Amino acid sequence: MGGSMKTLKHFLRIFEEDIHFGTVMVDTLERDGFELTHVRPAAPRSWLLRAKPPQHIQEGFGLAPELLFIAVQGEVQSRDLQRAADEVVRSGLRLDGNLVIVTDDGHTHDDGWPLKDRLDRMPGRDQRVAWVWGEDRSWPPLSEVLRQQLPTYDVFEERHPVRGYQLMGRDAEVMELRTRVTRGDAVGVFGLRKCGKTSLVRAVTDWLDPASGIKAPGAEKMASQACVIWFDAQGLDAAEVDDVADELLAALRRRMRAAGRADVPPAQQGLVGLKSAAQAIVDEGMRLCFVIDEYDFLFEREGSLGPVPGISRLLGLVRALSQQHQGAVSLVLIGRDPEHLSVPHLDGVPNPLLAGLTPMWLGPIRAPHDTEMLRKLGRRVGLAVGPETATLARAWTGGHPLLHRQFGSALREEVRRHAPGVLLKEPTDPHRERAVERFLGRQAVLDVDREIIALLSKRYSAAYALLLDLIESHDPGAAVKRAGGSQSSGVRVLRNFGLFDEATLPLPKHLSWYVRTLLPTQAPVAM
């Protein structure tokens, strides 16, 4: 502990010498109750700092345990923001992945643009809070800057995988998957699109191998418990299994560069090269984890071409490595369902994963975690989410992560319409019913509903028939009996996808609304 404090003071002294406004910035933070935890140079005249906000600020705005700062003498550039994104992973994801506090002195130059305007022009989805001194060279307290700027950013409007502190309500699932991966299992994470599958797996692989989560090459070496090779099959242009193996080798090279390892290409490419590279990793005593996101695209190619020829050889290679090095090699497949992995034969040979893959179905966020998420994100945008709002949100979204965020976004939009300007804990219950109409009008909600109906109607006829019966029936229990009982195929499918729970019976209202209101006017649904 003493050594870390000595290092912090050492870099803090250099920072205050290197950045001419550094001393007053640090003094202002400390007066405001922020505690600096890390200070380090990221590039010449560009520094990254981390600080713990005081408890009332952290809880009041639903913030992560630490905030990230960029301080630049001159004008901040896009590359500075990229370094900040890498720092989020390097921090062990204690930081808000979509929030960074930025300060520079570019606005003091002749004809210099205000910092906020420059930040708005830079690419990225995160919120950049501009913290600058006034004309009298005095700095406003950061707490006041956060109160003014945080509510202007719709933190609910996130449709990409979330990382670290932003993943909420999935602690039990994260721990289960972490246990299975560390003991070398083959696991399939299945569920509807946009239900948080990739976010869940990233939470495990970021912990297991931080280097696998950093995009920029050249990042400093990090301590990893494993080597994670992450491949998204959605962008696959391959026609043969060797092409898939080459994509995995490319992902391995990116990961090695991020970890500060020399890029030594294997002697051969394709499946032979992948086998050689994988064997070298386990021979070093490292754990190896293959992750294939959107694995369905390996089996459902454009033009109804069917599986990638030879895909059984790739799965067989991973299975063989896992058996030879028990506990050291794991596989995670992310997709819609395990149907492609349940067939007895692939490529005319026994399926290597038949009965060897553990399915994990990811459904909605369970109560009360869905309410906690809505309230925490609500505090970030200045909303005091009331109990009646939380109950209504659950009824309409069913706890689906994307839809729950969309409800929060619609709620924020409705509240801001009636209470424009800076919002400071505006009560939501008076606005909850009007927010429903905004929620139902969102394209993201319609896309989720359409995908569910398309999937069930094409692939699961019994579940589709039961869904329609549940929507029209006044007695859900009787509808389940007509479908063959709680263990019937239709009930199992709806249960696996998190659309139906025998304990609560009613379907999520967004789905019932879609079927009753829009489905009769739609053309036949196709995948």
Side-chain angles (χ1 to χ4, degrees), residues 423-442:
L423 302 179
L424 295 176
K425 305 301 179 290
E426 185 73 19
T428 61
D429 281 351
H431 307 279
R432 66 188 188 283
E433 294 293 348
R434 290 190 299 271
V436 171
E437 184 176 353
R438 290 182 179 274
F439 166 75
L440 294 175
R442 293 196 160 220

Side-chain angles (χ1 to χ4, degrees), residues 198-271:
T198 300
S199 297
L200 172 68
V201 179
R202 278 292 188 194
V204 174
T205 59
D206 283 338
W207 164 80
L208 193 65
D209 181 18
S212 69
I214 292 185
K215 305 297 184 184
E220 67 185 32
K221 185 177 181 180
M222 299 172 206
S224 292
Q225 301 179 52
C227 175
V228 174
I229 305 176
W230 187 292
F231 168 58
D232 189 338
Q234 190 168 206
L236 184 67
D237 293 326
E240 303 289 342
V241 70
D242 280 339
D243 298 312
V244 180
D246 286 340
E247 294 285 353
L248 288 166
L249 282 169
L252 174 60
R253 286 193 291 270
R254 289 192 296 271
R255 184 267 171 204
M256 289 300 187
R257 288 197 300 270
R261 297 279 297 272
D263 181 13
V264 180
Q268 293 176 278
Q269 295 293 308
L271 209 57

